[in-house]
Amino acid sequence: MDEARYRAAEWALWDHWGVAPTEHWVQFGTSGPRLRVLELGDPAGAPVLFVHGAAVAGACWVDLASRLQDHRCLLLDRPGCGLSEPLRPAPSLPGLADLADGLLAAVLDRLHVERADLVSNSMGGLFALRTAAAHRGRVRSVTHFGWSLGSPVAELPLVMRFATHRLLTPVAARLPASRASVRAMLRSTGLGAAIDAGQIPDVGIDWNVAVQNFTDTRRHEFSLGNGAGLREQMTALELPPDVLGQVTAPVRVVFGTGDPFGTVATMQALADALPRGELEVWVGAGHAAWLDDLDRAEKAVRHMVMAV
């Protein structure tokens, strides 16, 4: 961990998007880790909690959150990601499901937020949907971008199959990241067009490099499920129909056809299994679809926040 170098890269990112967040530290449970939440926007606005995917941190949402300054935007670093402390010991696969049930509600409690809209991506979708099922009164709506952990996976990009293989994970966790490797990873998840169009600026690439090199994020994420491979995690954590059926909040799934992890059919099945689910398909968008079209992403979130 090199906190000073990570913070420097993060502040460069905030500066690029013209925001200056407030930092909160909240205790998870009575003896659990201290978690970092970054707040920007109007403190009196409707609270929106952003939940990131695997091997990144809350600041990945800065571009979208900067468009929602009339809301109270809360960007969580999940345990072990960014500057949040890790869970010790790392949770097993069943433990991950239990964590997803309770984490976000506990964070909202510490921030004295009764109800919030959730915005999630990838692994964050597992937390958002399980929270919405277990704590129905706490979640006003969910806007989820991309394939969600908890739904069937179509394909793992080659670079991710290498990095998350049981035997290769310890090696991958120690490999330094570079601008080239981060761009390659993003391209493998369908975000090549966003990179080529300048939707992901160099400062964003540099921040992603800093997450990998100057925090314990990658090592922590690879340890989840007692070192289970990524496909094993994806299969074990699929959301059963009885859980999805308990999600009474409206859910909009925004899925890009360039996302290799899922298909329109699997995402439609997820939306159909939710009592108030709907699917919005973006042709050509990648796994982190908001990076392909910020204007459209802002409209999607505002539609959910205002429609409740």
Side-chain angles (χ1 to χ4, degrees):
M1 172 79 77
D2 189 332
E3 182 175 333
R5 294 180 73 179
Y6 174 72
R7 284 186 178 275
E10 189 183 66
W11 273 106
L13 186 65
W14 297 125
D15 187 62
H16 175 86
W17 292 103
V19 294
T22 301
E23 184 176 77
H24 301 285
W25 290 92
V26 299
Q27 186 83 34
F28 179 49
T30 56
S31 58
R34 293 172 70 243
L35 305 179
R36 184 178 183 238
V37 181
L38 294 162
E39 178 176 339
L40 58 149
D42 183 354
V48 181
L49 179 60
F50 292 76
V51 194
H52 62 81
V56 288
C60 71
W61 295 107
V62 59
D63 39 14
L64 179 54
S66 70
R67 300 288 195 94
L68 300 165
Q69 292 293 286
D70 51 328
H71 297 281
R72 185 186 179 192
C73 295
L74 303 166
L75 282 57
L76 170 68
D77 285 357
R78 284 192 293 100
C81 298
L83 296 181
S84 285
E85 294 176 350
L87 290 160
R88 292 192 174 92
S92 63
L93 287 175
L96 268 176
D98 292 340
L99 176 66
D101 284 343
L103 176 70
L104 302 187
V107 169
L108 293 176
D109 285 344
R110 294 294 187 179
L111 294 171
H112 307 291
V113 174
E114 182 61 32
R115 300 180 72 210
D117 296 277
L118 305 181
V119 178
S120 57
N121 169 245
S122 193
M123 187 176 185
L126 180 76
F127 286 79
L129 293 174
R130 292 199 72 104
T131 298
H135 305 274
R136 285 176 282 184
R138 309 296 301 276
V139 178
R140 295 180 71 252
S141 74
V142 178
T143 307
H144 179 78
F145 290 94
W147 171 86
S148 174
L149 182 60
S151 57
V153 62
E155 180 182 353
L156 281 179
L158 180 60
V159 65
M160 297 191 76
R161 291 201 298 271
F162 166 80
T164 58
H165 189 282
R166 274 185 178 274
L167 298 178
L168 298 175
T169 291
V171 177
R174 292 193 298 269
L175 289 175
S178 66
R179 279 185 170 185
S181 68
V182 165
R183 288 194 176 98
M185 175 65 79
L186 293 174
R187 287 186 182 278
S188 76
T189 62
L191 292 167
I195 293 174
D196 294 339
Q199 293 287 98
I200 306 175
D202 285 346
V203 70
I205 299 294
D206 291 340
W207 169 78
N208 206 308
V209 171
V211 173
Q212 311 306 318
N213 289 345
F214 305 138
T215 76
D216 295 326
T217 301
R218 182 166 49 175
R219 182 173 57 191
H220 175 268
E221 298 288 78
F222 285 169
S223 73
L224 295 177
N226 294 328
L230 187 56
R231 184 174 288 279
E232 184 180 346
Q233 288 187 34
M234 290 173 169
T235 301
L237 293 169
E238 284 189 16
L239 289 163
D242 62 319
V243 171
L244 295 173
Q246 295 177 52
V247 180
T248 56
V251 179
R252 171 170 288 196
V253 179
V254 178
F255 180 72
T257 58
D259 186 338
F261 296 101
T263 65
V264 172
T266 58
M267 292 300 98
Q268 186 65 64
L270 174 64
D272 289 345
L274 295 161
R276 300 173 67 187
E278 59 182 59
L279 176 67
E280 182 176 328
V281 177
W282 293 6
V283 175
H287 184 52
W290 75 94
L291 296 174
D292 285 282
D293 193 332
L294 280 173
D295 290 338
R296 198 174 180 186
E298 178 188 351
K299 289 177 182 177
V301 175
R302 288 190 181 280
H303 171 82
M304 296 304 290
V305 171
M306 299 301 294
V308 178

